[in-house]
Amino acid sequence: MSLQAGIVGLPNVGKSTLFNAITKKHILAANYPFATIEPNVGVVTVPDTRLDYLVNLYHPKSIVPTTFEFIDIAGLVSGASEGEGLGNKFLSHIREVDAIVEVVRCFDDANITHVEGATDPIRDVEIINTELILADLEIATNRLGKIEKKAETTKEKEAIKEVNILKKIKESLEKSIPIRLLDFTEDDLLLIKNFNFITAKKIIYVANVDEIAASIGDNDYSLKLKEYAEKENAGVVVMCAKLESDLADYQDEERANFLKEVGITNSGLDKLIFATYDLLGLATFFTAGADECRAWTFKRGMKAPSCAGIIHSDFEKGFIKAEVMSFTDLENAGSELRVKECGRLRLEGKDYEVQDGDIVYFRFNV
């Protein structure tokens, strides 16, 4: 399934530098606003040692890891909701993503221009959040003006329900409360899905620190950002985008040794990838054999037929059963044969919720 996370932030906070690192591509990362004009899209591989284990066990002809897309979107400035900077062009790009990765400058550097004059992570976050709220408020207000008249005249239940939801959204946005912090049912969310409200999307903050702070784990700026994010139940990943970008071309062993030397235990990139993956409620199941070992992305809670449909629509239409073994059982047993002998290979039906790490063979008939 194709899922996207949009990298956003003020100009010159390190968005494009971060993008260079996570995709190992080298796009323009210039020291002036709007160095990125068109959104840059990169496919990110999700590191997974379980897939490595399966490859060593089955020695397949083909290996396909699970991936999702990161999109680097042009820097946002105060007044974007009214057309300042790249304005509506930026906002149209961000409406299409599944989640938001907001890069926040948490370092001082006199050689890198700050669009607001000085480092202040909370001010920067609030500038962006205000613009996104204003953009959503405009959409909610415009839609309310149209649907309210219809609801009053027709008394249609769906129209009345939409009016009530939009009023709730409008009132909250006017109080600077993003939509993601409101309580909605699945039906409610389905009703407003086509509006692509930006503040309804899940968000994670990246505290872009210098190398010293990255080795320690935090600085005063990142601690303030964490305190802010905690109030809206958002996560924060602390990393040095420049360091990660410099390491992007290193081999895995070289990268690990260098990080160890500078006192960083885990790559900031890996932390960001896992955090974003988790933010979207994603998990991984596997198909494995001599021809191919492949990791498949699915949303937690999906049942076996829907997961089969990720592979091919015919698998879902003609679903019969799923042969399932957990990765843990396979690893403990050492072979697929031993899993079967231990009675740990299961046949599951249509109501089975696929679990993270399941190794699945789908039986189907079309």
Side-chain angles (χ1 to χ4, degrees), residues 99-164:
I100 297 171
V101 174
E102 187 170 326
V103 182
V104 185
R105 180 166 166 170
C106 291
F107 64 90
D108 292 315
D109 189 333
N111 296 316
I112 300 178
T113 304
H114 195 297
V115 72
E116 292 294 326
T119 306
D120 185 340
I122 306 308
R123 178 206 58 210
D124 293 354
V125 167
E126 289 181 344
I127 286 173
I128 289 179
N129 290 352
T130 296
E131 293 305 320
L132 301 185
I133 283 172
L134 289 173
D136 279 354
L137 183 57
E138 182 181 4
I139 287 180
T141 302
N142 290 342
R143 178 58 181 169
L144 259 176
K146 297 176 182 177
I147 195 66
E148 271 188 303
K149 295 177 182 177
K150 180 181 178 181
E152 288 173 6
T153 56
T154 65
K155 306 298 181 184
E156 289 181 7
K157 288 183 178 180
E158 282 293 294
I160 293 171
K161 184 178 181 181
E162 185 177 335
V163 167
N164 291 334

Side-chain angles (χ1 to χ4, degrees), residues 102 104 125 129 180 203-207 225 228-229 232 234-237:
E102 187 170 326
V104 185
V125 167
N129 290 352
R180 63 178 168 270
I203 190 168
I204 189 166
Y205 295 103
V206 170
L225 180 60
Y228 180 94
E232 57 177 55
V236 177
V237 173

